[in-house]
Amino acid sequence: MRARAEELRRLLNRAAHAYYVLDAPELEDAVYDRLYRELEQLERLQPGLISPDSPTQRVGGAPAEGFQSVRHRIGLLSLDNAFSTEELEAWYGRLLKVLDRPGPSGDDLPALPMVGELKIDGNALALSYERGLLVRAATRGDGESGEEITANVRTIQSVPLRLLLENPPPWVEVRGEALIPDHTFAAINAERAERGEALFANPRNACAGTLRQLDPAVVAARRLDFFAYTLHLPDAWTPASGAADPARPLSQWQSLQWLAAAGFRVNPNAALCPDLAAVEAFFAAWEHKRRQLPYATDGVVVKLDDLRLQADAGFTQKAPRWAIALKYAAEEAPSRLLRLVAQVGRTGVITPVAEFEPVGLAGTSVSRATLHNADRLAELDLHAGDTIVVRKAGEIIPEVVRVLAELRPPGAAPLQLPSSCPECGSELVREEGEAATRCVNSSCPAILRGTLRHWVSKGAMDVDGLGAKLVEQLVDRGLVRSIADLYRLDAALLASLERMGEKSAANLVDALEASKQQAWHRQLHGLGIHHVGAVNAKVLAKGFPSAAELYAAAQQTPERLTALHGIGSEIAQSLQQWFATPSNQGLLDQLKQLGFSMAAGEGELAASANSSAEATGIDGREVLAGRTFVLTGTLPSLSRSQAQALIEAAGGKVTGSVSKKTSYLVAGEEAGSKLAKAESLGVPVLDEAELRALLASGP
């Protein structure tokens, strides 16, 4: 019985791969169904025969209660964008400079092979395989962590549950794009229309919503697809000798071939381009051909082909230097302006918004677009009833491109921002040299709503159950007048509000209470101080582990603030102004009385002290400044990310490949080819103990 079950799994998985990935069916539907039912019966009779790669396990189990946040083994960075071939050429010039390959003045730039891939308009996924089996799938999230949606991704037929390799690596990380094809999207919307349900705006939004469904059966019914485009393998891994598995890829082009051989669906419209001219030709050729594809695309992704050169090029803070997204020009459409409204943000900034007759752009209906500020409004010279031209910036954000003044109605009045706040009536202020117009009334309901939404957001206090609609109710009814008032609400009062039951109210009170234990840097970020985002809050919280210390520095020694990496005079001035405001001082006092520490806990202090002491050495210097490190193999007690953090905190730089410019190779077990290359180039090799000693004493 076990042998038959294994044979059926093999036949069915091969047939599914042929049908969903290769578009070359091997079995008739009736035959596939008969074999599938036979396997189901065997597994029902003997549950011990069920395996994770069985096709019967693509949909199964009860709906999830929610999604857990998981940290990516390898981060998912965004790509920088280019919107013209001139910007592409500028990127290429910067890449050559980073690689130390500038061409002679006046001559053509040196040619580097690149890969052109269509930019699929879907949702990025990170797939983790161990010993060939899919063990985890996650959304991109913030690039470092995402939501674990393995059960949902297992329903995507073009995602292999087991890699088609004889001897798979111990782990494989695959990146790709989940999508809903156009014809499937149309069918889904037709079904929803028949049931009287709201229609999805476009395939990308439908895909994003589908991936976050709590019931995998719903995901399976939506029939998502997946294209793989990036591969990460262990440093020291090479295929077993004698196996039919593909060789370890040395380039992006070979990576795509490796992914296809392992069982993934790879977009067939990629091209290996020998030089920049070939990339530009590829981009031009697909500008119109892409309209004939059965899925949405909005540009071309250009990647340096050689993986070693990719490692040499490295990354900026948010994107790889060796890749760029070259976007097609956004579709434009005319429309008639209906009205100009002014929105008030959480910092009091007034944003003019144009409302116009709905137009279809990039698969969605658009009827609103921000005009940013008074300067942009004046630049457009907008009048009542104007005909405007609208597009989607990056095919995502609606914007007004220009006004067709020749179609302006006779006697139309020019439009400008109001002189008083539309929410509270206070006089608006525009500081000299600033683009923003602001309401400076801290009691303004709009500012309060924005402040509360920011405080409870995922990046700050992460309070579940307190959405925008509930915040609006609390403010409009006068139940909450500050952040502190949130913590004075009781379950009985909350349960009396619209769309709130007793259980939801009790859960919200518990979530608010739990938020008092959030880390100090989250509390600081949640206060919404101008220019203090999540990253700066972490830097400030590490340098000043309590609100009292930060207050003292802001008021008395601002130079201590600007001494921190990334903290400039503008941020220091913003902190000084915030702490000098009596209402803000009162808020801090109230939060402390309600149980907030407004300071780093013991665990935070210990972690900060350990990393700082180890990173900066015995005398506080950045002991590794100007030195470049490469990490390889498995260290005894440090993960690679921990080792990298220590090196970078001490002023060092971590790259992915060994060269003559490498200062040190830090090697653990199974170091592999990087160790051999370092030895051949005479690069000093450190183990973990020697790295720690270097951090402690300096070079």
Side-chain angles (χ1 to χ4, degrees):
M1 188 180 290
R2 182 172 297 278
R4 178 58 177 165
E6 290 177 355
E7 181 184 15
L8 288 170
R9 281 198 299 271
R10 181 180 58 80
L11 289 171
L12 291 168
N13 283 332
R14 189 177 73 181
H17 177 257
Y19 184 89
Y20 292 104
V21 177
L22 303 180
D23 294 323
E26 291 182 352
L27 294 179
E28 294 181 5
D29 289 350
V31 175
Y32 182 94
D33 291 341
R34 179 175 59 79
L35 295 177
Y36 188 92
R37 285 195 298 272
E38 182 184 350
L39 178 60
E40 271 188 318
Q41 185 176 12
L42 288 176
E43 292 178 344
R44 192 162 45 247
L45 291 172
Q46 192 170 332
L49 295 176
I50 299 175
S51 67
D53 63 327
S54 173
T56 65
Q57 300 305 297
R58 282 200 177 270
V59 186
E65 295 183 358
F67 297 110
Q68 182 181 5
S69 178
V70 293
R71 192 168 185 83
H72 299 305
R73 181 196 292 262
I74 296 165
L76 279 77
L77 295 182
S78 301
L79 293 175
D80 285 334
N81 292 324
F83 295 94
S84 66
T85 53
E86 289 78 15
E87 291 183 7
L88 174 70
E89 290 166 4
W91 163 79
Y92 188 69
R94 293 193 299 271
L95 177 62
L96 291 173
K97 187 175 181 180
V98 168
L99 295 173
D100 199 20
R101 297 192 179 196
S105 178
D107 292 354
D108 292 337
L109 293 174
L112 291 174
M114 287 169 281
V115 175
E117 304 171 33
L118 295 184
K119 187 176 183 298
I120 308 299
D121 197 14
N123 300 95
L125 295 181
L127 308 183
S128 301
Y129 289 79
E130 292 182 3
R131 302 296 174 187
L133 284 176
L134 176 66
V135 296
R136 194 179 80 180
T139 61
R140 177 196 293 277
D142 63 4
E144 294 183 0
S145 301
E147 290 182 315
E148 195 263 319
I149 54 169
T150 309
N152 288 348
V153 172
R154 289 175 68 87
T155 70
I156 304 176
Q157 294 283 353
S158 49
V159 172
L161 302 180
R162 180 185 289 274
L163 301 181
L164 301 182
L165 301 172
E166 290 183 18
N167 293 287
W171 60 264
V172 179
E173 290 287 319
V174 174
R175 305 291 185 255
E177 203 83 0
L179 66 146
I180 293 182
D182 293 342
H183 69 279
T184 305
F185 173 71
I188 291 171
N189 262 355
E191 292 170 3
R192 293 176 70 85
E194 287 180 7
R195 296 193 296 266
E197 298 175 355
L199 304 186
F200 286 119
N202 56 45
R204 181 182 62 242
N205 290 347
C207 183
T210 298
L211 289 169
R212 299 195 76 256
Q213 285 285 327
L214 297 178
D215 188 350
V218 175
V219 184
R222 300 266 175 89
R223 303 181 291 279
L224 273 61
D225 205 346
F226 179 79
F227 284 121
Y229 52 67
T230 298
L231 172 68
H232 298 284
L233 294 164
D235 284 346
W237 178 82
T238 55
S241 59
D245 297 338
R248 182 188 180 93
L250 300 177
S251 67
Q252 172 63 14
W253 189 250
Q254 291 176 9
S255 294
L256 295 177
Q257 296 171 326
W258 195 100
L259 287 165
F264 290 95
R265 183 171 169 81
V266 174
N267 194 285
N269 301 309
L272 180 58
C273 303
D275 52 30
L276 196 62
V279 170
E280 293 175 353
F282 176 80
F283 176 74
W286 277 103
E287 183 167 10
H288 299 292
K289 286 197 300 181
R290 68 192 178 101
R291 307 289 183 188
Q292 303 165 16
L293 295 171
Y295 45 82
T297 64
D298 59 357
V300 165
V301 176
V302 183
K303 300 176 184 175
L304 186 59
D305 187 42
D306 191 311
L307 298 184
R308 289 172 298 180
L309 291 181
Q310 285 186 11
D312 288 343
F315 302 84
T316 65
Q317 189 172 4
K318 65 174 185 174
R321 292 191 179 94
W322 43 265
I324 196 166
L326 180 57
K327 308 290 280 292
Y328 290 113
E331 179 184 354
E332 297 182 350
S335 182
R336 187 172 68 86
L337 180 70
L338 299 177
R339 66 188 64 86
L340 181 73
V341 297
Q343 290 184 341
V344 187
R346 70 173 176 86
T347 61
V349 172
I350 309 297
T351 302
V353 177
E355 295 185 350
F356 43 86
E357 293 177 343
V359 293
L361 287 173
T364 64
S365 179
V366 176
S367 59
R368 290 166 56 90
T370 176
L371 302 180
H372 304 295
N373 52 45
D375 288 342
R376 178 57 177 159
L377 184 58
E379 181 184 348
L380 286 168
D381 188 27
L382 204 60
H383 286 58
D386 268 345
T387 298
I388 57 177
V389 177
V390 186
R391 71 180 178 194
K392 278 191 174 181
E395 298 199 1
I396 297 176
I397 302 172
E399 66 175 353
V400 176
V401 183
R402 58 187 179 277
V403 173
L404 301 179
E406 63 273 19
L407 301 180
R408 178 171 293 156
L415 299 177
Q416 57 188 9
L417 283 179
S419 58
S420 59
C421 175
E423 289 275 353
C424 68
S426 301
E427 184 178 355
L428 298 179
V429 174
R430 183 176 180 182
E431 298 288 347
E432 187 176 351
E434 277 202 7
T437 303
R438 299 178 186 273
C439 172
V440 293
N441 174 18
S442 59
S443 299
C444 176
I447 296 176
L448 178 57
R449 288 194 293 268
T451 297
L452 296 176
R453 286 196 298 268
H454 176 70
W455 174 264
V456 302
S457 66
K458 187 172 287 292
M461 306 311 289
D462 193 16
V463 179
D464 276 338
L466 192 51
K469 294 290 185 184
L470 182 54
V471 166
E472 192 169 339
Q473 281 193 73
L474 293 170
V475 173
D476 291 350
R477 295 191 182 191
L479 299 174
V480 172
R481 300 180 185 276
S482 73
I483 289 171
D485 284 346
L486 288 174
Y487 296 87
R488 300 186 178 103
L489 297 170
D490 59 47
L493 176 60
L494 287 168
S496 69
L497 301 176
E498 292 178 22
R499 301 181 182 179
M500 285 292 287
E502 291 183 4
K503 184 176 180 181
S504 298
N507 288 342
L508 178 52
V509 170
D510 290 343
L512 285 165
E513 186 64 27
S515 72
K516 295 177 182 179
Q517 306 306 316
Q518 288 284 15
W520 160 227
H521 70 84
R522 282 178 171 268
Q523 298 174 38
L524 177 58
H525 173 46
L527 292 172
I529 302 171
H530 196 35
H531 298 309
V532 180
V535 174
N536 288 336
K538 287 183 178 179
V539 174
L540 289 164
K542 185 177 179 181
F544 302 93
S546 71
E549 292 175 73
L550 185 58
Y551 170 82
Q555 297 302 309
Q556 301 168 18
T557 54
E559 65 275 9
R560 292 181 59 203
L561 299 176
T562 54
L564 295 175
H565 179 69
I567 305 300
S569 57
E570 191 174 32
I571 298 174
Q573 185 178 3
S574 180
L575 286 162
Q576 192 174 37
Q577 292 173 347
W578 193 92
F579 280 110
T581 303
S583 60
N584 294 331
Q585 296 171 10
L587 173 61
L588 291 177
D589 290 339
Q590 291 179 62
L591 290 174
K592 288 179 183 177
Q593 292 170 13
L594 288 163
F596 282 89
S597 65
M598 305 311 294
E602 291 183 6
E604 294 173 76
L605 290 171
S608 178
N610 289 339
S611 62
S612 297
E614 197 159 7
T616 58
I618 56 175
D619 58 357
R621 292 177 296 114
E622 286 197 337
V623 296
L624 303 184
R627 283 163 173 73
T628 302
F629 291 73
V630 174
L631 304 172
T632 186
T634 303
L635 299 176
S637 64
L638 289 174
S639 69
R640 191 167 299 187
S641 60
Q642 289 170 330
Q644 180 171 346
L646 287 172
I647 292 169
E648 290 176 347
K653 178 182 177 183
V654 177
T655 63
S657 61
V658 178
S659 70
K660 289 185 290 185
K661 297 180 180 179
T662 303
S663 305
Y664 299 99
L665 175 75
V666 181
E669 293 183 8
E670 301 180 2
S673 58
K674 291 182 180 179
L675 176 58
K677 185 172 183 180
E679 291 172 342
S680 68
L681 293 174
V683 173
V685 178
L686 307 176
D687 59 19
E688 181 181 320
E690 290 168 326
L691 172 63
R692 290 182 182 274
L694 186 62
L695 286 163
S697 61

